[in-house]
Amino acid sequence: MKNLVMLIIGVGIGFVAAHQINKTPEGRRFFEEVDSRVGEFTGAVVDGYRAREAELRAAVAEAEETIADLKRSQG
């Protein structure tokens, strides 16, 4: 319980500090740069996920096709 309270206090102090830093031009530029990098990272993760999903869907379709071919050749 004590750790949870300390965590909440730490988050609160961090929020107040970030708000104060964001009021300065340098701080605003810093947070804009962080936001830009987070956006780039998120975009890269989404692109990688979509590419992998497409690969897996293609592999499943190929496997289904192979199974169907085997069933036709046996039946």
Side-chain angles (χ1 to χ4, degrees):
M1 186 67 172
K2 181 180 175 184
N3 289 337
L4 180 61
V5 171
M6 295 301 287
L7 175 67
I8 291 170
I9 290 171
V11 168
I13 291 171
F15 178 77
V16 169
H19 184 68
Q20 293 299 318
I21 291 169
N22 194 39
K23 288 182 179 179
T24 67
E26 296 86 9
R28 189 167 292 116
R29 278 194 302 273
F30 170 76
F31 285 118
E32 287 171 356
E33 184 177 325
V34 168
D35 185 51
S36 172
R37 289 185 181 184
V38 167
E40 290 174 10
F41 176 77
T42 303
V45 169
V46 169
D47 290 345
Y49 176 83
R50 288 185 178 151
R52 184 63 178 146
E53 182 181 25
E55 290 172 4
L56 292 173
R57 288 186 187 277
V60 167
E62 185 178 335
E64 287 174 343
E65 208 173 292
T66 301
I67 291 170
D69 288 344
L70 288 171
K71 284 182 181 180
R72 279 192 293 268
S73 68
Q74 290 178 354

